[in-house]
Amino acid sequence: MNQLLFFAGLKEAAGTENVNMDLAGLTVEEVKKKVFEVYPSEQLQTSMVAVNEEFAGQEHKIEEGDTIAFLPPVSGG
Amino acid sequence: MNGKQVWVTEEPLSPGEIISRVTRRDAGAINTFIGTVREFTKGKKTLYLHYEAYPAMAEKKLQQIADEIEKQWPGTTTVMAHRTGRLDITDIAVVIAVSTPHRDASYAASRYAIERIKEIVPIWKKEHWEDGEEWIGNQKETKPGVPTKEESR
């Protein structure tokens, strides 16, 4: 099982801040497509993905137990 | 006092306390950047801001920035704190304090820290106006997707 986290505008669009899905074996790119089917928010397309609190590229493979966070463009400071 | 070099908190930030953490005998300069909540942005009046963070990752990325600074300007001590939750006009959102042997590096390292925060630290702000609200994003106009190696280093 994998935990998905949504933040900021994406959290509001999805209507939830975390959800569990089985995504092991998929790439980040595939995960984005799969999550988009459930939460069709345009913001998913512009979001960065972090796996276990580290930025991950499109080809990064998800493993069992990984935490996957969807991060809209940041605006701290 | 939490003994940390970087942190994210809902509590008000104390610049004096953060400066004291970088104060040391071999520093000849301390540079402090204090980011505050501005009332007007492009003519639009902000009532207050709401900051949200992915706290665990935000602290990791702040630490990464502190490490990058130490590499680029050896002998620098960096302490950074970012506040989250509701912030009113003039409240302090972020404090960066750096101490260096000489002043040039203190300006450069301080500037580097705030620019990097705006690139790679997962913190978001929402502006609240009299007639609405909006999450602010992409102030640096970076491209969507993964930060380049250079950016995420």
Side-chain angles (χ1 to χ4, degrees):
Chain A
M1 194 63 78
N2 299 100
Q3 189 178 34
L4 273 61
L5 305 175
F6 301 115
F7 291 95
L10 199 49
K11 177 168 81 181
E12 287 175 5
T16 180
E17 58 186 332
N18 73 75
V19 63
N20 290 322
M21 285 172 83
D22 271 317
L23 299 164
L26 299 184
T27 64
V28 163
E29 193 174 11
E30 290 164 340
V31 165
K32 264 195 174 183
K33 277 185 195 149
K34 196 156 180 175
V35 173
F36 186 78
E37 288 169 17
V38 188
Y39 302 101
S41 165
E42 286 307 316
Q43 289 190 68
L44 266 181
Q45 313 299 341
T46 55
S47 290
M48 292 186 276
V49 172
V51 176
N52 301 331
E53 300 167 5
E54 196 52 64
F55 290 113
Q58 302 280 33
E59 302 306 314
H60 184 98
K61 268 229 162 82
I62 302 302
E63 290 176 24
E64 169 63 23
D66 282 350
T67 297
I68 306 161
F70 293 87
L71 314 174
V74 302
S75 53
Chain B
M1 289 291 273
N2 55 23
K4 285 184 180 175
Q5 188 179 2
V6 301
W7 68 97
V8 172
T9 177
E10 292 202 348
E11 302 300 316
L13 300 176
S14 163
E17 197 266 316
I18 291 167
I19 290 167
S20 73
R21 292 184 189 217
V22 301
T23 304
R24 59 205 168 93
R25 299 179 74 91
D26 49 356
I30 294 176
N31 201 314
T32 312
F33 176 83
I34 300 174
T36 57
V37 178
R38 177 179 56 236
E39 183 168 29
F40 284 92
T41 298
K42 290 174 185 164
K44 189 148 193 168
K45 186 179 179 176
T46 298
L47 299 179
Y48 61 94
L49 296 182
H50 188 93
Y51 280 93
E52 178 181 321
Y54 181 5
M57 184 173 172
E59 290 188 350
K60 265 192 191 176
K61 291 288 132 186
L62 286 171
Q63 186 62 52
Q64 177 186 326
I65 294 168
D67 295 344
E68 288 170 5
I69 287 172
E70 166 63 26
K71 229 178 224 170
Q72 207 163 327
W73 295 279
T76 300
T77 298
T78 306
V79 172
M80 293 179 279
H82 202 299
R83 192 174 168 194
T84 57
R86 179 188 160 133
L87 273 75
D88 294 311
I89 308 305
T90 76
D91 278 354
I92 296 172
V94 60
V95 178
I96 298 163
V98 297
S99 65
T100 58
H102 302 281
R103 68 184 179 281
D104 279 0
S106 77
Y107 284 104
S110 177
R111 182 63 194 254
Y112 179 85
I114 187 64
E115 298 303 326
R116 285 295 272 163
I117 285 173
K118 288 174 179 290
E119 281 170 358
I120 66 163
V121 179
I123 295 177
W124 302 269
K125 76 173 163 202
K126 189 181 206 177
E127 290 187 352
H128 292 260
W129 313 298
E130 276 155 346
D131 60 348
E133 56 185 44
E134 187 181 315
W135 284 104
I136 307 302
N138 219 9
Q139 292 163 306
K140 296 211 61 155
E141 297 180 348
T142 47
K143 293 201 181 81
V146 183
T148 61
K149 281 233 169 64
E150 183 68 10
E151 284 166 1
S152 64
R153 213 169 8 147

